[in-house]
Amino acid sequence: MKKVKSFEINDLPIRTKIIVLLLVISILPSIAFGSLVNMAVDNIIEKQASEHTLQLIGQANKSLESYGETMQDVSYLISFNPDIIRFLHGDEDLDSNDNYQLKKFLQGFTTVNPEIAGILVINEEGNYLSNELYPRNIKSLTEERWYQDAVENKGIFNFIGHPADRSLKSHVNYTDHEIVSGARAIVDPESEKVIGVVLIDLKLRVISEIIEDVRLGKSGYLMVIDDEGEVIYSPQGSLVDSIQLSWFKSDSPNSFSKKINGRNMQFIYRKSPFTNWTTIGVFSTTESVMEVRQVNFYIISILFIVLAFVIGVSYYLSYSMSKPINQLNSVMKKVESGDLSIRYRGNRADEIGMLGRSFNNMIEQINKLIALMQIQGRQKRDAELQALQAHIKPHFLYNTLDTINWMSRKKGALDVAELVESLSQLFRIGLSKGNDIIPLEDEIEHIHSYLKIQKARYKDKLNYSVSVDPELNNIEVVKLVLQPIVENAIYHGIKERRGPGNISITVEAAEGNLVMYVKDDGIGMSEERLSRLNEGLAVSFDRLEETRKKNSIGYGVMNVQARIKLTFGEPYGLSVESIQGKGTTVKILLPLNTNK
């Protein structure tokens, strides 16, 4: 069954990626910004509506409290009148003329304050004085609830609201819903007993004049209820017929929402501490929602415009960026098919143009390399032919030396025979059948042959010793690494000192590596030359020749270093320690287990 390749974003064309990227980085922030603006506008509209309604309610409450204070002040002025006090105490000396003057006194308040519908003063025996009010029947007014509530409040003005089941009638014939009442008990300052009650009726129209013109939105309005939830004032055509006190919750001190008759209604209220009446702003939540929807419409319209603009820009930018890439891709495919004459055509200054010019340079370099490889191929064939012809010479020399060796031994010239044999061994191991890697045993034999030849030349001037662990004989090493080092030790160390010199060669295994030490007691070298030498040996392989010429380092040493690094890598190679006048030690580090 063929395996279905899973979707990866890297498989998409670059134009698609650019379009998606531009859309994502532009649309998502736009949507987020629009949502934040929508939330902010919604909160601002709701907050402004609440603040505006509370401000109107506060102004209405101030006006209502002003009328309430007027009623209270009138009750105080009446209770301070001496003749009223005499009447309340039941003074029998008061005649009809006195009663007439008291009624005129009460009528003066209604004249000065036209918002007052009527005033009634009654003592504890049920006798009363009034300019507008009178009982409907012979039942004592002291038995009515408004009188008893006023007595219980003991001198505190009490706002009653609309009168209910009251046995009083007005000359103007006001209905109970056209007035609101307030009462205050008059207390004798000496006995601290209630001696009577002042009842004051306020015309409801003064309340309606305050709040009837207040509009909240298109259909919202203000209404007033008392502390028992009874409606004091509500405009005609109101959205809510009654208010329940259970709707007012302590966790929402200024507003609440209710669904009434299928409509979501918002209520914002504030209670007057003076009158104990609550003024409520009532309006439909759909009106504020309509404003929010209008703002949302504008935001969505702007988003669509931005979206259309972004899509157009993204298509244009993606085309302008993908077109040269596709052109470069087409050129690369032609080069891949073998056409190295094709070139990218374009004068763009951006990264794509730079890539195209680099591609052209690469093709030119490839053409040069191909031509160079062709030249080198011809040169290699010529070199192989010359090497084949020259290979005869070392073998001829080796065979000739072997013949001289046997002839010397036959004639008894053993010292000449040994010298020729050492030279023959030197050539044989140097050739090594063309191998660059040889056993350590052969490398040690090669250096023995070289030292024998040098010993024959320098006699007692040169002494040497070679110490090798026999277990290391089969370890593979790069050939001819010891001879150039020993040669330097002889010509630059032993030869320059006075008296005989010593060279010791030690080969051992240490920390998983093969370590060779070539130590001489020659003249050594200065710190400056030693520093230049170690710096030159420490550079990378590709800089060895440049460093050799710059620091005047011997060709043999750098050749050994180059062959070791080329064969085994940067961690291996030569390092030198030297003390001027005492000698030099060269350390050669090679891998311990090396396959051919």
Side-chain angles (χ1 to χ4, degrees), residues 41 71 134 173 176 195 205 249 301 325 337 340 357 365 395 398 428-429 443 538 583:
V41 169
M71 295 170 65
Y134 59 92
N173 200 22
D176 291 344
I195 58 177
R205 66 175 178 81
K249 298 179 181 179
S301 299
I325 294 177
S337 65
L340 296 180
R357 289 187 287 275
Q365 292 297 325
H395 280 282
Y398 170 73
R428 182 181 63 80
I429 297 174
E443 177 69 13

Side-chain angles (χ1 to χ4, degrees), residues 303-319:
L303 286 178
F304 271 112
I305 295 173
V306 171
L307 176 61
F309 176 77
V310 167
I311 291 176
V313 171
S314 62
Y315 268 91
Y316 173 76
L317 290 178
S318 64
Y319 176 76

Side-chain angles (χ1 to χ4, degrees), residues 3-4 53 74 103 111 151 214 256 265 279 288-289 318 325 329 386 406 422 455 464 538 550-551 579:
K3 187 177 179 181
V4 179
T53 303
V74 169
K103 290 180 180 181
T111 302
V151 172
V214 176
F256 61 88
M265 306 300 297
T279 305
S288 59
V289 170
S318 64
I325 294 177
N329 184 43
Q386 293 174 5
W406 285 108
S422 296
K455 177 69 174 175
Y464 66 89
K550 180 179 179 181
N551 292 350
I579 300 176

Side-chain angles (χ1 to χ4, degrees), residues 165-217:
D165 301 327
R166 193 174 67 174
S167 299
L168 285 174
K169 194 172 183 181
S170 172
H171 289 296
V172 185
N173 200 22
Y174 289 110
T175 63
D176 291 344
H177 292 286
E178 292 178 332
I179 58 174
V180 290
S181 301
R184 189 179 72 84
I186 301 175
V187 180
D188 186 358
E190 295 180 359
S191 62
E192 296 184 354
K193 292 183 178 180
V194 176
I195 58 177
V197 173
V198 178
L199 176 68
I200 301 175
D201 287 344
L202 182 68
K203 298 174 184 178
L204 186 64
R205 66 175 178 81
V206 300
I207 298 177
S208 64
E209 289 174 355
I210 295 173
I211 61 178
E212 67 179 352
D213 293 332
V214 176
R215 282 289 175 264
L216 305 177

Side-chain angles (χ1 to χ4, degrees), residues 13 42 79 81 97 100 210 250 252-253 303 320 334 431 441 455 499 515 530 570 590 593:
D42 191 8
S79 64
N81 187 282
N97 183 52
Y100 175 76
I210 295 173
S250 59
S252 55
L303 286 178
S320 64
K334 291 181 180 179
L431 292 173
E441 184 178 11
K455 177 69 174 175
V515 185
L530 177 65
E570 291 295 335
L590 300 174
N593 295 317

Side-chain angles (χ1 to χ4, degrees), residues 70-89 102 105-106 109 119-123 129 154-157 183-190 193-200:
T70 299
M71 295 170 65
Q72 181 178 253
D73 292 342
V74 169
S75 69
Y76 282 127
L77 291 174
I78 292 174
S79 64
F80 292 153
N81 187 282
D83 293 334
I84 294 295
I85 298 300
R86 288 172 57 197
F87 168 76
L88 294 176
H89 280 293
L102 289 177
F105 172 69
L106 297 177
F109 288 109
I119 302 174
L120 182 139
V121 180
I122 182 172
N123 61 15
L129 285 172
K154 294 183 179 181
I156 299 175
F157 195 85
R184 189 179 72 84
I186 301 175
V187 180
D188 186 358
E190 295 180 359
K193 292 183 178 180
V194 176
I195 58 177
V197 173
V198 178
L199 176 68
I200 301 175

Side-chain angles (χ1 to χ4, degrees), residues 9 33 63-64 143 220 246 254 278 310 325 390 393 488 579 592:
I9 193 170
F33 176 73
S63 299
L64 293 176
E143 298 177 3
S246 60
N254 294 115
T278 302
V310 167
I325 294 177
K393 297 177 182 179
N488 275 349
I579 300 176
L592 185 59

